[in-house]
């Protein structure tokens, strides 16, 4: 499927043809014209609309260019290890470019959660709950997205991230809805169709074994072995 139209001028003929091809592709795969995830910059596949509204959104708002694998529109999932490159774009464009890298392994590995297309709507509905009574800036899901993007951007381990979530529970007002563990966060994100990649981390949280450290056997900072004895 040609996706080059996603990166051209919205007023161009190529963009117009691309939008129509995308809508046709979606209808043929989803067998519906009324409940389709909108991939515009503002909706970010969080909202479902009819074909007409999605067409308008794609023209007025533009398409989310980070949506490279059309999972929500019938295209098979293709895992990628470069998901984190869109973190900066998230802050600039206001659309959530989910970062799907899990950091850390061994005894705390929680296993894999598959994508459940039927559970997606439930996750969105549940995520619409306000973070706490009176909060208008974030809801349960958007807060999780922001926190998880920080996790990936700054290389937080699972243990550190879980402690951060627990701290947030106590810092926020009572009866808040923020998730309190990496397990819950992973289940929620995977229900949205995200995959994740396991990356070895130093037991002392010095480095991640990726890029120039991908094949290292000892941490260059503290010298501890990468492997359990």
């Amino acid at each position: 499927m040609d996706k080059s139209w996603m990166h051209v001028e919205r007023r161009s003929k190529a963009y117009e043809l691309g939008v129509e091809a995308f809508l046709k592709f979606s209808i043929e795969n989803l067998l519906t014209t009324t409940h389709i995830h909108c991939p515009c910059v503002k909706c970010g596949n969080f909202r479902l609309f009819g074909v007409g509204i999605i067409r308008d959104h794609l023209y007025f708002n533009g398409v989310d260019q980070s949506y490279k694998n059309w999972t929500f529109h019938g295209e098979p999932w293709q895992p990628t290890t470069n998901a984190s490159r869109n973190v900066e774009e998230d802050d600039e464009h206001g659309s959530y470019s989910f970062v799907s890298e899990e950091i850390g392994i061994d005894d705390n590995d929680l296993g894999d959660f598959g994508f459940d297309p039927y559970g997606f709507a439930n996750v969105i509905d549940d995520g619409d709950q306000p973070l706490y009574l009176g909060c208008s800036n974030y809801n349960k899901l958007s807060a999780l997205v922001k926190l998880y993007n920080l996790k990936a951007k700054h290389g937080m381990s699972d243990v550190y991230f879980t402690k951060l979530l627990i701290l947030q529970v106590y810092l926020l007002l009572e009866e808040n809805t923020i998730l309190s563990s990496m397990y819950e966060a992973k289940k929620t994100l995977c229900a949205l169709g995200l995959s994740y990649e396991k990356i070895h981390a130093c037991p002392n949280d010095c480095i991640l074994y990726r890029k120039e450290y991908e094949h290292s056997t000892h941490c260059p900072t503290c010298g501890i072995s990468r492997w359990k004895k």
Side-chain angles (χ1 to χ4, degrees):
M1 185 72 184
D2 180 21
K3 301 177 183 177
S4 60
W5 63 273
M6 298 174 67
H7 309 287
V8 301
E9 169 61 44
R10 272 183 273 166
R11 292 173 293 183
S12 68
K13 187 67 175 178
Y15 189 85
E16 177 185 346
L17 294 175
V19 168
E20 295 307 317
F22 167 77
L23 293 175
K24 180 181 179 182
F25 175 84
S26 301
I27 294 170
E28 290 176 348
N29 282 281
L30 304 177
L31 302 179
T32 180
T33 60
T34 57
H35 292 81
I36 299 176
H37 295 287
C38 179
C40 80
V41 168
K42 291 187 177 180
C43 294
N45 285 311
F46 277 0
R47 303 294 182 183
L48 290 88
F49 297 108
V51 171
I53 294 178
I54 293 177
R55 180 184 288 109
D56 291 342
H57 280 202
L58 290 176
Y59 283 123
F60 290 126
N61 304 328
V63 65
D64 179 1
Q65 296 186 14
S66 68
Y67 183 45
K68 302 180 185 302
N69 189 195
W70 295 349
T71 310
F72 301 117
H73 300 87
E75 190 172 56
W77 175 254
Q78 298 175 0
T80 175
T81 58
N82 296 321
S84 60
R85 66 178 174 231
N86 295 313
V87 177
E88 296 297 335
E89 294 177 8
D90 175 286
D91 294 332
E92 294 178 7
H93 300 297
S95 62
Y96 293 121
S97 180
F98 292 105
V99 181
S100 54
E101 292 184 347
E102 180 184 2
I103 302 169
I105 350 180
D106 67 36
D107 297 339
N108 295 318
D109 182 19
L110 301 173
D112 298 337
F113 296 96
F115 172 49
D116 176 12
Y118 300 102
F120 178 86
N122 292 332
V123 171
I124 297 302
D125 290 340
D126 181 59
D128 276 339
Q129 299 180 60
L131 193 58
Y132 53 82
L133 186 63
C135 179
S136 58
N137 295 326
Y138 289 98
N139 58 27
K140 181 178 179 180
L141 185 58
S142 64
L144 172 61
V145 170
K146 286 295 185 182
L147 287 170
Y148 201 81
N149 277 340
L150 286 175
K151 168 183 165 32
K153 184 176 181 179
H154 297 289
M156 296 183 197
S157 68
D158 285 0
V159 173
Y160 183 94
F161 186 65
T162 296
K163 290 181 179 179
L164 176 62
L165 291 176
I166 294 173
L167 177 62
Q168 295 289 330
V169 172
Y170 291 103
L171 291 177
L172 297 175
L173 297 178
E174 292 184 5
E175 298 184 3
N176 61 75
T177 59
I178 194 166
L179 299 179
S180 59
S181 72
M182 182 63 201
Y183 178 84
E184 293 176 336
K186 186 189 295 183
K187 284 189 67 175
T188 300
L189 295 175
C190 286
L192 295 174
L194 302 178
S195 68
Y196 59 89
E197 177 188 0
K198 295 178 181 178
I199 301 176
H200 288 215
C202 169
N204 294 325
D205 294 331
C206 300
I207 64 157
L208 298 177
Y209 286 99
R210 58 182 300 186
K211 297 183 178 178
E212 67 269 29
Y213 303 124
E214 182 177 1
H215 301 294
S216 300
T217 58
H218 290 78
C219 175
T221 301
C222 67
I224 194 170
S225 174
R226 174 178 182 173
W227 311 106
K228 281 186 174 182
K229 294 183 179 179

